[in-house]
Each structure stands twice: as structure tokens, then as C-alpha cells.
Amino acid sequence: MNSVLAKSSVLAKNPVLTKCALFLCLAFALISLPLKAETLAAPGAYQTLFSQSADTAQLVALSQKLNLGETVRGHFVQSRQLKVLKKPLISQGQFIFDQTQGLIWQQIKPFESLLILKDKQLIQRDSQGRVQVSKADASASAAAMGDLLPSLVRAMLGGDISGLSENFELHFLITDRLSPDGQWQLGLTPKDPLMKKAIANMVLEGSDVLQSLVLLSAAPNVTPQDMTRIDFSALSQGTLSETELAQYALALEASKP
């Protein structure tokens, strides 16, 4: 199911770190559903992006576009193409990100599952209601991953782009200058060798708001390779509701001895 992570002996020996890397891929539980082949762009489509570096002015402008405040929610459709499969895997659901509470990733189709990333903990609840807790401080490498994941989410949904330069090489490309919204791509190459084994490159795409996240298992010019695309929609701001707070409370209950 996750051939890229399976190739990394370090990840395989560290189940907590493996789950953290899997969470970053946002691809825990998927089944194959029909999807048109043209939905996923070819890896070579990002070669131009990764040949250009991002400058400070571009990052500042992008941060202002992506800053949606302390709390943001929306819907997602995730498509994953694996080298070993003819058809992509697809799932959909909704998410909530709060600067204080953490990230909730709730898959609704093809079946329900819930993931919560909070305080260096990964809480998973499957379709049977079973809850599993993984702590990211079980080792130094896992702790580093636990620190990195919230930073990446804050950059994507909270506009904290400048902080990414500590852990990623950044690339930027305006793909449609004629568009009134200014279509753009931000490429991220992990500096940490361990993380790079799990995800070679990432691409954020959007205009006036974030539209998608693409994960590549190898360099952009390598084909075939595993690729995941997550499309975001209906992004909105606002304080957490009682129902949403109750979901975060699951993290507190699950972490009790």
C-alpha cells in the first residue's frame, strides 16, 4: 500500500515515525474507485517549478494570500496514484485546522475514519470506532517529524511560509500571469534525509487561496512514481463549534493512561 515508505528501513523499524510520515501523505485508508487518468498531472509537469528558487518577496506575498486566520476548515478530495496500480485511489472528507487545538482529518468516503494531530500525538479512530494513539516523542527522529508536521500545516493553511525554509528548499513559479487571481506553485524539497526518503518533493498550488497539495515519491522527472494529489475546497474561517471541540476532546481522552 505504501511502497515508498516500505523501502526505507529506518522508517520500517520505527512504527511511530512511519505513522507520522503516513499522516503527512494523508493516505491511511483508501480503496480503488474509478477516476479519469488525466486527473493527476504527470510528474514531469513540475520540472520547471523545481528548477527555480523562491525569493523573499514572493514568499511574503504568498504568506499574505494563504493567511486564513487561527482556524480554518474545508473539504478535500484525495487522489493517489501508485506505480503498482492501474487506477488511482480516491477518498474524500473534511478537515479542521486550529492553531491551538491542532489538525483534524476526517475521511467520509469510501468509509469513515478520523485522524487528529495534536501536541505531538497522532490519534486514529477507524470505521469500527477503535482508537489508537501514537506519540511522536518516542525517538529523536520521530520528535523531529512531530515538530515538522504542524509547521507544514500552519504554512499551508495559516500563511506561515517563511518558517518552511528551515526544513525545506523552496521553489516558486507563477503558472498563469494572465489570470486575475495569479495561479502559482510552491515546491518543497525536504532537507532532512529521513523525510526525503518518505516524500521526495511536495507542491502547493493555488491562486488567491490554497487549492491543492501534491506529494511526489521521487524527483519530478522520474516516471513512473507514486503520486498523491489533495484538492481543497470550501475553505472558511470562524471559531470552533461545540461539535468541533468535541472532536478535539477525543485526543485528550485517548491520551489518558
Side-chain angles (χ1 to χ4, degrees):
M1 186 70 177
N2 198 318
S3 59
V4 179
L5 290 177
K7 292 177 183 178
S8 172
S9 59
V10 179
L11 287 173
K13 294 177 182 178
N14 191 327
V16 175
L17 184 56
T18 301
K19 289 176 180 177
C20 287
L22 281 167
F23 186 86
L24 184 56
C25 295
L26 300 176
F28 285 95
L30 302 173
I31 63 173
S32 181
L33 296 177
L35 188 67
K36 293 183 179 180
E38 62 265 27
T39 301
L40 293 178
Y46 301 108
Q47 288 189 57
T48 302
L49 167 64
F50 284 96
S51 67
Q52 303 187 50
S53 298
D55 61 41
T56 302
Q58 291 172 328
L59 297 180
V60 170
L62 186 57
S63 295
Q64 294 172 347
K65 282 188 176 185
L66 294 183
N67 188 0
L68 293 173
E70 293 186 357
T71 304
V72 59
R73 57 185 60 77
H75 300 282
F76 70 86
V77 175
Q78 175 177 293
S79 308
R80 190 167 188 219
Q81 180 65 66
L82 301 178
K83 292 179 292 186
V84 297
L85 298 178
K86 292 182 178 180
K87 293 184 178 181
L89 309 170
I90 186 168
S91 65
Q92 57 183 292
Q94 56 196 23
F95 69 90
I96 309 167
F97 173 67
D98 183 84
Q99 296 276 11
T100 302
Q101 297 288 344
L103 174 68
I104 291 177
W105 193 262
Q106 184 175 19
Q107 179 179 290
I108 298 174
K109 295 181 179 180
F111 50 83
E112 293 188 2
S113 64
L114 180 67
L115 305 172
I116 303 175
L117 179 65
K118 178 179 173 64
D119 298 331
K120 294 187 179 183
Q121 288 191 117
L122 175 62
I123 296 91
Q124 306 173 62
R125 186 176 66 192
D126 62 22
S127 58
Q128 305 300 316
R130 293 170 297 197
V131 177
Q132 183 177 357
V133 181
S134 302
K135 294 187 177 182
D137 57 359
S139 69
S141 55
M145 185 74 79
D147 288 333
L148 181 57
L149 296 184
S151 298
L152 178 59
V153 176
R154 281 195 295 270
M156 287 170 45
L157 303 174
D160 185 17
I161 297 297
S162 59
L164 289 177
S165 60
E166 295 181 8
N167 298 296
F168 297 92
E169 296 175 4
L170 301 180
H171 309 267
F172 186 79
L173 177 67
I174 297 177
T175 57
D176 187 357
R177 294 182 182 274
L178 298 180
S179 170
D181 295 328
Q183 291 288 327
W184 51 265
Q185 294 176 340
L186 178 68
L188 300 89
T189 301
K191 294 180 179 179
D192 183 84
L194 183 60
M195 184 177 180
K196 198 168 184 177
K197 287 183 179 180
I199 304 171
N201 291 286
M202 289 174 277
V203 180
L204 300 178
E205 299 177 309
S207 55
D208 56 336
V209 296
L210 177 67
Q211 296 173 340
S212 63
L213 167 65
V214 178
L215 307 169
L216 303 173
S217 66
N221 61 338
V222 174
T223 186
Q225 66 167 288
D226 294 341
M227 177 187 294
T228 299
R229 180 182 179 89
I230 304 169
D231 291 302
F232 302 100
S233 63
L235 299 180
S236 65
Q237 305 175 36
T239 57
L240 294 171
S241 66
E242 291 186 4
T243 301
E244 292 169 339
L245 286 171
Q247 287 182 301
Y248 282 111
L250 173 64
L252 295 176
E253 291 297 323
S255 62
K256 290 181 179 179

